[in-house]
């Protein structure tokens, strides 16, 4: 009787720690490749190594792996439980243990371009911010433009990231991502002076107006399929940047014709090299923070899975040093069940 009681008492404990130690390799693979983490930008698509060390086939223990994620010893940012849980860490360990070790480390996602300014070199190579954000930090520059950022804002976003990011999404009225995917950086490892070099360079090439284009699913009607596009400046009133001289483009899939459009300043259909095809074009003088414009495009037939409607909004002011104009992609319209 006493041993039974003892066993009953111990059982949940034993079960709990076993679950924490032995992860599920398939779940680990799904997590690694999915939208909830971005570790692969630094560690490689299959953990083969890139800017960060290789993880595949290294046979790190759960304790070693967890320590590296919660209290990184170098330049990697730290991740808290809500960003990646202990049991998910065990899943990743199981996944990487199921893979063979990489013969040689993979290449970086983005190399430092020839003659890169100092701040860009720091972002790409010294710290690695740009391994996730891309070589010219488009996302942070747009968010900085949306709030009229100063260095104080930038610091908070980096040194207190997991804590402050949800409030930032709320402030801009943005749908939060699956999770907060960037880790939190340590002041002692990434000193303020180093961060300042990145900030100054990002400001020098120019903060961006935060323009977003949202395309709804096609709706079938008597004269064709109608797509509704909303172009919005999500910046804060009185603080965010306005965009000027905008061009709104929506791809007209091969074989489809424009039956009808709504929205001011429609310029007709022309060829677009970047979007690789015919596009319907509208022009707009200015879009200030919190302003939005709605456009509709009615096509003679529905886009199919392979040539679905998508597009881009481009603007020339504020001018950025990275090219003649700035742009925001318009993601493909979700396929309406009726047209699939
Ligand atoms: C900015 C690039 C970057 C990102 C993003 C990143 N890491 Fe790392 N990781 C590194 C670097 C660099 C190291 C080497 C130690 C250091 O500098 O902190 C490292 C070390 C590790 C280690 C220890 C490896 C060893 O050899 O002992 C593990 C485990 C690890 N990272 C897992 C993760 C996981 C899981 C994530 C996502 C939740 C992640 N990393 C995100 C760059 C990154
Ligand atoms: C693991 C990839 C990754 C790395 C490395 C990374 N970021 Fe981020 N960062 C993100 C993502 C994703 C977001 C959006 C919020 C989120 O999910 O965390 C973000 C958000 C931000 C924001 C808030 C505004 C915005 O763009 O949403 C700033 C500012 C920022 N990052 C700057 C930096 C800087 C500076 C570094 C290097 C010190 C850095 N990031 C490193 C992925 C990364």
């Amino acid at each position: 009787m006493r041993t039974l009681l003892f066993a009953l008492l111990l059982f949940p404990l034993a079960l709990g720690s076993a679950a924490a130690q032995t992860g599920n390799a398939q779940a680990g693979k799904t997590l690694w490749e999915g939208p909830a983490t971005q570790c692969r930008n630094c560690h490689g698509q299959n953990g083969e190594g890139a800017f960060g060390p290789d993880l595949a086939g290294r046979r790190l223990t759960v304790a070693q792996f967890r320590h590296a994620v919660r209290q990184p010893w170098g330049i990697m940012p730290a991740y808290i439980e809500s960003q990646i849980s202990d049991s998910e860490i065990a899943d990743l360990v199981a996944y990487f243990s199921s893979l063979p070790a990489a013969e040689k480390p993979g290449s970086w996602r983005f190399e430092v371009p020839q003659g890169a300014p100092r701040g860009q070199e720091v972002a790409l190579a010294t710290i690695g911010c740009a391994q996730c954000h891309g070589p010219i930090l488009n996302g942070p520059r747009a968010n900085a433009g949306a709030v009229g950022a100063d260095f104080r804002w930038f610091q908070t976003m980096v040194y207190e990231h997991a804590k402050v990011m949800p409030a930032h999404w709320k402030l801009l009225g943005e749908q939060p991502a699956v999770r907060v995917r960037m880790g939190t950086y340590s002041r002692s490892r990434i000193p303020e002076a180093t961060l300042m070099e990145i900030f100054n360079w990002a400001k020098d090439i120019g903060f961006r107006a935060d323009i977003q284009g949202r395309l709804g699913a096609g709706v079938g009607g008597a004269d064709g399929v109608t797509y509704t596009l909303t172009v919005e400046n999500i910046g804060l009133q009185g603080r965010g940047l306005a965009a000027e001289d905008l061009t709104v483009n929506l791809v007209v899939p091969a074989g489809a014709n424009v039956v009808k459009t709504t929205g001011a300043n429609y310029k007709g259909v022309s060829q677009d090299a970047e979007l690789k095809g015919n596009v319907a074009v509208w022009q707009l003088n200015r879009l200030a923070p919190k302003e939005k414009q709605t456009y509709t495009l009615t096509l003679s037939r529905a886009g199919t899975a392979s040539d679905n409607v998508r597009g881009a909004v481009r603007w020339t002011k504020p001018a950025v040093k990275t090219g003649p104009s700035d742009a925001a992609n318009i993601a493909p319209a979700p396929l309406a069940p009726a047209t699939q």
Side-chain angles (χ1 to χ4, degrees):
M1 181 65 202
R2 231 161 120 193
T3 25
L4 180 65
L5 191 66
F6 196 58
L8 279 173
L9 281 171
L10 277 181
F11 187 62
L13 278 176
L15 199 70
S17 76
Q21 295 299 317
T22 340
N24 176 319
Q26 185 54 48
K29 177 177 161 66
T30 306
L31 177 71
W32 186 258
E33 292 171 355
T37 63
Q38 294 194 345
C39 324
R40 60 187 179 282
N41 288 339
C42 286
H43 289 285
Q45 193 58 33
N46 305 301
E48 71 278 24
F51 176 79
D54 52 325
L55 302 173
R58 293 269 317 283
R59 307 211 162 257
L60 296 173
T61 65
V62 172
Q64 287 168 329
F65 200 105
R66 187 172 48 225
H67 192 260
V69 170
R70 301 267 185 257
Q71 289 145 295
W73 59 87
I75 55 163
M76 181 175 132
Y79 291 81
I80 57 175
E81 173 80 19
S82 61
Q83 298 185 279
I84 180 163
S85 70
D86 279 355
S87 84
E88 286 171 333
I89 286 175
D91 292 342
L92 288 181
V93 170
Y95 170 49
F96 290 125
S97 299
S98 77
L99 296 179
E103 273 167 30
K104 60 178 179 60
S107 46
W108 288 16
R109 188 166 173 236
F110 299 110
E111 295 288 344
V112 181
Q114 280 277 310
R118 169 79 187 145
Q120 184 178 32
E121 193 187 325
V122 174
L124 276 162
T126 314
I127 308 182
C129 320
Q131 297 298 328
C132 282
H133 286 293
I136 52 172
L137 304 184
N138 267 341
R141 282 168 48 232
N143 281 271
V147 301
D150 56 12
F151 183 59
R152 216 185 132 73
W153 173 87
F154 197 68
Q155 267 189 31
T156 311
M157 283 293 156
V158 171
Y159 295 137
E160 293 172 59
H161 185 74
K163 200 173 96 193
V164 300
M165 193 63 210
H168 177 72
W169 275 319
K170 213 168 159 195
L171 184 69
L172 293 183
E174 279 193 293
Q175 197 64 31
V178 205
R179 294 184 193 178
V180 176
R181 297 145 300 170
M182 168 176 151
T184 299
Y185 283 86
S186 138
R187 246 175 229 278
S188 59
R189 311 245 185 253
I190 314 289
E192 232 177 87
T194 310
L195 202 57
M196 177 90 78
E197 292 189 278
I198 298 175
F199 178 80
N200 286 343
W201 160 69
K203 195 171 174 180
D204 177 58
I205 58 176
F207 290 161
R208 310 174 60 215
D210 205 339
I211 306 296
Q212 301 202 352
R214 273 185 313 276
L215 193 56
V219 178
D223 44 3
V225 181
T226 299
Y227 295 85
T228 301
L229 169 69
T230 311
V231 177
E232 184 178 6
N233 183 332
I234 67 160
L236 301 181
Q237 244 160 353
R239 281 166 65 188
L241 295 172
E244 288 176 57
D245 185 22
L246 302 95
T247 311
V248 178
N249 302 291
L250 280 184
V251 170
V252 179
N257 290 313
V258 176
V259 177
K260 200 170 76 188
T261 66
T262 64
N265 281 324
Y266 177 59
K267 299 290 165 191
V269 173
S270 56
Q271 178 71 27
D272 189 277
E274 236 169 276
L275 292 166
K276 296 188 182 69
N278 283 331
V279 293
V281 181
W282 291 263
Q283 275 171 356
L284 177 63
N285 287 339
R286 183 179 153 91
L287 199 64
K290 291 289 170 273
E291 284 180 355
K292 59 176 147 186
Q293 288 285 329
T294 303
Y295 301 91
T296 68
L297 174 68
T298 304
L299 296 175
S300 55
R301 68 172 189 82
T304 63
S306 57
D307 62 4
N308 205 15
V309 180
R310 65 202 155 78
V313 186
R314 304 189 182 114
W315 60 98
T316 62
K317 287 184 208 154
V320 287
K321 280 195 186 175
T322 55
S325 74
D326 217 334
N329 286 324
I330 300 169
L335 281 178
T339 64
Q340 236 164 5

